[in-house]
Amino acid sequence: MIPPVPTPVFPAMTAVATAPASSANLGPGFDTLALALDIRCRVTAQPADRWCIEHVGDERPTSGEDDLVLTAARHTAGTERPLALVVENGIPMGRGLGSSAAAATAAAAAAASVAGIHMGHDALLPLVASLEGHPDNAAAAVYGGLVAVGPGGTVARLELHPSLRPLLAVPDHGLPTTRARAALPETVSRAVAARSVARTVMLVEGLRLADRALLEEASGDELHERPRRHLHPEAEVLIAAAKRAGALHACWSGAGPAVLALVDRAETERVAEVMSRMLGGAGRVLTPPVAPVGVEVVH
């Protein structure tokens, strides 16, 4: 259920909010773990005669994301006083980088600010998770950093070793999340469930310590990566190449098709070069820092 917000009071002002990209799952942490990445979506909101939305920049969404952004803003600001929204989303869309969660988070925060409402993280998270459907991406967009989301919606901030740097191999083509979800089995065996729990424990501790042996134990996800590999077989090739080049961990980013590698600072250039070569000109490698802060109201 989408949580209620206080009755808005509209001062005459413009508000700007930003929220980061995110890489969810991180291998075995399906629908639970996410890492915020400092590529941001920026939303400007101001009172207007009618509800409207404008997109600027290279990344342009489908009409469905327009609806998501408007719904998030309407819920926080109230429907009786319309807003004009300008969205500048620097996050590659349809690539498994949480662009929808970031856009909804930034829109809700900007609209709340225009309405004169202080909307804390604990109120933003259930709203964005309910609208966007991915609580892990929503938690990273709202809180920043490395996060885990419990079945009741509680968010835990986890520790990421400071030596680890994210690299993203982002193909030119997208993979719709609905198609990726449809590829997943309805049930898994007890053995798969047990191995997945073990991998997730190894992953969390391996990320805390930057321990290569633990992170190797975390690889080989059977919950979502293996069932989806026929949709994007290049992901498996990219993951293997990144690890051979020195990445401590590599996995699908969310539902893909982007691949995330976590690399020691000294190995960043070499792994990035290998991933770029594997993309073969049909994509790009991004090197965003971790976003330690999630949503921010800039002014």
Side-chain angles (χ1 to χ4, degrees):
M1 179 181 295
I2 298 174
V5 296
T7 302
V9 178
F10 282 81
M13 63 177 290
T14 297
V16 179
T18 73
S22 53
S23 184
N25 303 328
L26 305 179
F30 181 61
D31 281 359
T32 301
L33 298 178
L35 179 65
L37 304 168
D38 208 12
I39 313 169
R40 301 186 80 90
C41 176
R42 176 186 177 98
V43 176
T44 303
Q46 59 184 3
D49 294 333
R50 61 184 179 85
W51 284 97
C52 59
I53 184 168
E54 176 188 1
H55 295 274
V56 298
D58 295 334
E59 295 291 340
R60 304 295 178 100
T62 64
S63 59
E65 188 161 296
D66 274 4
D67 293 342
L68 173 67
V69 170
L70 287 168
T71 300
R74 283 175 175 143
H75 185 78
T76 55
T79 58
E80 70 280 0
R81 292 291 300 273
L83 298 176
L85 305 174
V86 178
V87 181
E88 183 176 6
N89 201 340
I91 304 168
M93 296 184 178
R95 304 297 195 274
L97 297 174
S99 64
S100 296
T105 300
S113 183
V114 172
I117 296 168
H118 173 70
M119 194 169 191
H121 290 3
D122 290 345
L124 267 177
L125 176 62
L127 168 64
V128 176
S130 296
L131 293 176
E132 201 272 337
H134 298 97
D136 43 4
N137 289 115
V142 171
Y143 288 90
L146 176 63
V147 293
V149 184
T154 300
V155 175
R157 297 293 298 267
L158 303 179
E159 186 177 345
L160 181 71
H161 196 277
S163 70
L164 294 178
R165 296 289 183 269
L167 294 177
L168 293 166
V170 184
D172 289 337
H173 65 86
L175 177 59
T177 304
T178 51
R179 186 179 175 209
R181 283 274 169 178
L184 301 182
E186 291 294 326
T187 60
V188 298
S189 69
R190 183 181 302 172
V192 168
R195 288 193 295 269
S196 298
V197 171
R199 287 185 177 108
T200 304
V201 173
M202 296 296 105
L203 175 65
V204 171
E205 187 68 354
L207 294 177
R208 185 178 74 86
L209 298 173
D211 187 301
R212 188 179 296 274
L214 292 178
L215 291 171
E216 183 58 35
E217 286 288 308
S219 64
D221 176 69
E222 298 173 82
L223 289 181
H224 70 101
E225 290 187 354
R226 191 171 297 179
R228 287 169 170 161
R229 60 187 173 185
H230 66 284
L231 298 177
H232 182 47
E234 297 91 340
E236 199 166 358
V237 177
L238 280 163
I239 288 169
K243 292 173 73 173
R244 283 196 304 271
L248 277 79
H249 184 62
C251 57
W252 285 55
S253 181
V259 165
L260 171 73
L262 292 169
V263 184
D264 184 88
R265 184 185 296 106
E267 307 291 340
T268 302
E269 187 174 342
R270 179 170 63 178
V271 178
E273 182 181 346
V274 167
M275 294 176 84
S276 179
R277 187 165 65 247
M278 298 303 296
L279 285 170
R284 52 188 166 143
V285 174
L286 304 179
T287 58
V290 173
V293 175
V295 63
E296 293 184 290
V297 178
V298 181
H299 61 76

